[in-house]
Amino acid sequence: MPETSAPPEPILKKDMGRALISAERIAKRVEEMGREISEVYADIDTPLVLVVILKGATVFAADLLRSLSIPAELEFVSAASYGSGTSPGKLRLAHMVEGPLVGRHVLLIEDIIDSGRTVSAIEKRLRRLKPASLRLAALLDRPARREVDTRIDFTGFVIPDRFVIGYGLDYAGLYRELPGIYTLT
Ligand code: IMP
Ligand code: MG
């Protein structure tokens, strides 16, 4: 994403226009997702492991975690690109989960699925840790730019081909604090 351009001027919350997805709609949808996920995993005999992809998914994960009615643990992974521009598809994991995942039910939590490269690389690494199951929950799905076939088990919203910020999603490290999701224009 556009990390090479100069950081934009911070936009204050009071100056934001109409949200693409309001805080209220997000809250409602995340509650629904929490119920759906709790039903799917109702019968597992170990706590669900939420593996949150840093940093964008942390806000979504914090709300989703509190909407679950089943026990869950939290783990984090962080993906970073190798070099700059040379092989854009190559990802390395800057942080990997700390606990063992053998035989555990794992739910990967991501903010937005764009090309699909980030989750596909992370899923590949997580599968090596032999979880009992591995599913994906994404707040946003932007299918227009998909490059890697990606199965999303729990989707919050499907969005058009626009760059978005807020509710954890950033542009040049900024705007994660916005309570709704906005397009950057
Ligand atoms: P993918 O690997 O192309 O699917 O990209 C997913 C990652 O790119 C996400 O984890 C986000 O951090 C970032 N990203 C993609 N689109 C956006 C956006 O519209 N706003 C903010 N971050 C984005
Ligand atoms: Mg991300």
Side-chain angles (χ1 to χ4, degrees), residues 1-3 53-57 79 88 91 109-122 140 142 145-148 150 159-166 168-172 174 176 181-184:
M1 282 298 124
E3 272 173 8
I53 304 179
L54 294 172
K55 300 174 185 169
L91 284 175
I109 311 288
E110 178 59 308
D111 51 3
I112 180 168
I113 310 299
D114 187 30
S115 72
R117 290 191 180 282
T118 304
V119 285
S120 116
I122 291 172
L140 305 175
R142 186 170 53 215
R145 304 199 201 184
R146 195 77 87 249
E147 293 169 28
V148 180
T150 306
I159 62 161
D161 191 9
R162 302 281 298 277
F163 192 83
V164 287
I165 51 168
L169 291 120
D170 74 305
Y171 173 64
L174 294 173
R176 296 192 200 274
I181 289 171
Y182 297 82
T183 53
L184 198 65

Side-chain angles (χ1 to χ4, degrees), residues 92-144:
R92 76 187 162 81
L93 293 197
H95 176 76
M96 191 45 170
V97 296
E98 288 168 352
L101 295 184
V102 184
R104 301 296 300 272
H105 294 276
V106 172
L107 181 60
L108 189 59
I109 311 288
E110 178 59 308
D111 51 3
I112 180 168
I113 310 299
D114 187 30
S115 72
R117 290 191 180 282
T118 304
V119 285
S120 116
I122 291 172
E123 282 178 348
K124 206 164 139 190
R125 290 287 301 274
L126 291 176
R127 270 193 210 99
R128 287 190 215 153
L129 302 178
K130 307 274 180 245
S133 70
L134 177 59
R135 289 189 179 92
L136 170 63
L139 178 70
L140 305 175
D141 175 15
R142 186 170 53 215

Side-chain angles (χ1 to χ4, degrees), residues 26-27 29-35 37-38 48 50 52 57-74 107 109 167:
I26 296 171
R29 184 71 189 116
V30 173
E31 279 292 329
E32 284 170 6
M33 292 177 83
R35 275 199 294 276
I37 290 166
S38 301
L48 178 65
L50 299 186
V52 184
T58 52
V59 176
F60 170 47
D63 284 342
L64 188 66
L65 175 67
R66 287 175 292 175
S67 71
L68 295 177
S69 55
I70 53 166
E73 295 175 20
L74 263 190
L107 181 60
I109 311 288
Y167 196 68

